[in-house]
Amino acid sequence: MKIELKDKKVFFENQGLKKEIHPFWLRERVNGDNFVDKKTQQRLFDPTELKENIEIDNLSLSKEFLEITFNDGAYTKLAIKNILKEFSNINEVRYIEKIEWDSSLENLNNFEFKDNLFEGQEMYKALVNFYKYGFVIFKKVPTKNNFIVNFANSIGSIRRTNFGEFFDVKSKPNPNDLAYTSLPLAPHTDNPYRNPVPCIQMLHCIVNEVSGGFSTLVDGYTVTQKLKKDFPEYYKILTEIKVRFQFIDQNVVLEDWAEMIQLDENRNFKQVRFSPRLDFVPLIDKNKLELYYSARKKISELYNSEKYRLEFKLLPGDLLMMDNHRLLHGRTTYDANEGNRFLQGCYIDYDSTEGKLKHLKRKFNL
Ligand SMILES: [Fe+2]
């Protein structure tokens, strides 16, 4: 890709295709001290107040810079590399390639907690792994004084819900969710009834004295890719029908309608939702429902199959950070008479991890 000039016009050429760059697009990007705040990189002018018929009065191009004077008097020197950057709309985080995994995955993405973790290169590596695998486990994270809140807020900001800023996961009397019992929990995604669904869940093990209560993880990305390949009809219907997810307690009624496999604008994987205790398919045509029920049964079989399920024990201090739009999680049953099992959980959203990742990338020039 390169930049060229002709008759006071700027062109970019890409794979033999030459197109003019709109002068207003360039005018919006003037970057001298009078136009852009140095620290925040925010504009000091309002481009909607500029006159529309902006033209270029003077142009010069060197190897690294494009210098322009516009017909409203504004002058700027733009770095060519910054202009070229804008032609690919690549969001670096979205383009970290997902790695498919199943129960044979051996590397559990362990990173050890240390004091300067959040501003160090190790955190950058952990976040890249998070986007590759959908989870990462931090070891030896302090367990006192609800440290999970500090942890989450050191990456970004906690996403508070009606379960509170964070929640204690242990068996308790009169629970409003099965998570707060010692019953086994089949693989599920959290809170599919929220809009938006919390992006990332953190689970921090404080005490674990029981022999059962293993944590489980399943990669919804791997499983839905498999479904797409082997059962395309099932895949298709699960990407089409919006089902209602619902949570009800004494204080709130939460509902949202969404596909169990949600695709993005390019028909690629975006998000899975799976919580068969909370989903209600609308009353649609009988034949369609027939297919839907078979599809749900099949995906449930895959999600629950040993082939895809990682099973491991969280030890005190372990903090599991997982992508709730990609992974399913659960736990095996345990005997509450053996001792205590106490985890703390909270949610954060993608802006936290993306923002931190990009900040660290910039900081270490990676
Ligand atoms: Fe959960």
Side-chain angles (χ1 to χ4, degrees):
M1 200 180 302
K2 62 178 182 179
I3 299 286
E4 284 177 22
L5 308 183
K6 200 180 168 195
D7 305 332
K8 294 190 183 175
K9 289 177 181 168
V10 183
F11 293 83
F12 74 95
E13 196 191 310
N14 189 17
Q15 295 175 341
L17 210 74
K18 205 191 254 189
K19 284 188 174 172
E20 187 188 348
I21 301 179
H22 199 298
F24 203 99
W25 190 93
L26 293 161
R27 174 62 180 83
E28 274 190 321
R29 280 157 181 75
V30 295
N31 63 5
D33 288 354
N34 294 334
F35 299 106
V36 172
D37 180 61
K38 252 198 183 139
K39 264 199 175 141
T40 62
Q41 293 291 304
Q42 291 175 11
R43 284 189 192 117
L44 296 169
F45 64 97
D46 178 351
T48 65
E49 287 174 6
L50 295 178
K51 59 179 187 173
E52 283 174 44
N53 57 339
I54 286 288
E55 283 174 26
I56 293 171
D57 268 357
N58 249 312
L59 263 181
S60 79
L61 180 67
S62 65
K63 213 171 163 210
E64 286 176 37
F65 294 98
L66 176 64
E67 285 180 73
I68 312 175
T69 310
F70 295 91
N71 61 345
D72 64 355
Y75 159 83
T76 192
K77 189 173 175 182
L78 300 171
I80 304 285
K81 69 173 194 305
N82 288 342
I83 298 177
L84 296 180
K85 243 191 224 168
E86 296 215 40
F87 287 100
S88 61
N89 230 345
I90 290 178
N91 168 333
E92 296 133 37
V93 171
R94 245 184 88 184
Y95 282 78
I96 296 177
E97 214 161 315
K98 291 188 188 68
I99 294 176
E100 292 183 29
W101 54 262
D102 59 19
S103 58
S104 63
L105 182 72
E106 279 173 8
N107 170 19
L108 291 189
N109 298 313
N110 287 342
F111 290 84
E112 198 152 307
F113 178 83
K114 48 184 188 241
D115 275 348
N116 58 351
L117 175 73
F118 301 105
E119 279 299 320
Q121 282 212 36
E122 195 71 351
M123 180 51 102
Y124 175 78
K125 281 189 209 155
L127 290 171
V128 170
N129 268 24
F130 169 78
Y131 281 99
K132 282 184 180 166
Y133 294 93
F135 76 99
V136 60
I137 298 172
F138 295 95
K139 310 288 284 182
K140 296 185 183 166
V141 178
T143 53
K144 292 229 166 73
N145 304 324
N146 311 321
F147 192 79
I148 188 169
V149 175
N150 292 33
F151 194 98
N153 284 332
S154 299
I155 294 182
S157 303
I158 274 202
R159 160 90 179 272
R160 195 188 175 91
T161 71
N162 59 311
F163 294 137
E165 189 181 27
F166 66 94
F167 40 90
D168 291 336
V169 187
K170 53 182 159 188
S171 51
K172 48 190 169 195
N174 302 319
N176 69 346
D177 195 288
L178 289 181
Y180 309 131
T181 68
S182 60
L183 292 170
L185 291 177
H188 63 278
T189 59
D190 263 20
N191 298 195
Y193 42 78
R194 283 188 211 285
N195 179 16
V197 174
C199 306
I200 297 162
Q201 181 177 184
M202 291 184 175
L203 270 182
H204 188 198
C205 179
I206 311 296
V207 182
N208 199 353
E209 298 164 346
V210 296
S211 53
F214 282 68
S215 296
T216 59
L217 286 179
V218 177
D219 184 12
Y221 175 63
T222 304
V223 169
T224 53
Q225 291 301 105
K226 170 84 179 155
L227 188 76
K228 185 180 182 180
K229 194 163 150 264
D230 294 351
F231 304 94
E233 288 281 286
Y234 290 170
Y235 177 81
K236 186 163 178 279
I237 196 151
L238 294 180
T239 62
E240 285 172 358
I241 294 189
K242 292 192 180 197
V243 299
R244 180 168 58 89
F245 294 97
Q246 165 185 300
F247 172 91
I248 294 175
D249 75 0
Q250 281 190 325
N251 304 313
V252 74
V253 176
L254 297 167
E255 285 182 317
D256 197 34
W257 280 258
E259 308 87 346
M260 297 231 278
I261 306 171
Q262 194 179 359
L263 304 180
D264 68 11
E265 62 276 17
N266 301 316
R267 309 292 295 160
N268 291 322
F269 178 93
K270 184 173 185 192
Q271 181 176 356
V272 286
R273 292 171 173 83
F274 192 71
S275 199
R277 294 169 203 272
L278 310 169
D279 65 332
F280 299 87
V281 64
L283 183 52
I284 48 171
D285 183 73
K286 186 165 174 260
N287 291 339
K288 250 193 168 176
L289 271 184
E290 187 99 7
L291 180 61
Y292 168 80
Y293 285 129
S294 303
R296 185 177 64 171
K297 195 170 186 57
K298 177 52 72 182
I299 202 166
S300 178
E301 258 172 53
L302 295 173
Y303 283 152
N304 283 285
S305 130
E306 276 184 14
K307 177 170 171 25
Y308 296 106
R309 189 175 66 231
L310 274 185
E311 207 173 286
F312 53 93
K313 189 164 187 173
L314 284 177
L315 302 173
D318 289 358
L319 189 150
L320 168 64
M321 182 169 116
M322 57 192 157
D323 186 339
N324 187 48
H325 288 200
R326 171 176 169 185
L327 265 52
L328 293 85
H329 63 279
R331 65 146 186 262
T332 61
T333 187
Y334 66 95
D335 180 357
N337 295 319
E338 279 183 359
N340 292 315
R341 182 181 186 274
F342 175 27
L343 273 58
Q344 290 186 311
C346 73
Y347 301 112
I348 59 173
D349 288 325
Y350 290 139
D351 57 346
S352 295
T353 45
E354 283 194 30
K356 189 69 165 181
L357 183 63
K358 287 180 179 170
H359 158 67
L360 293 173
K361 191 177 161 88
R362 173 183 64 183
K363 179 174 171 181
F364 295 110
N365 228 339
L366 298 166

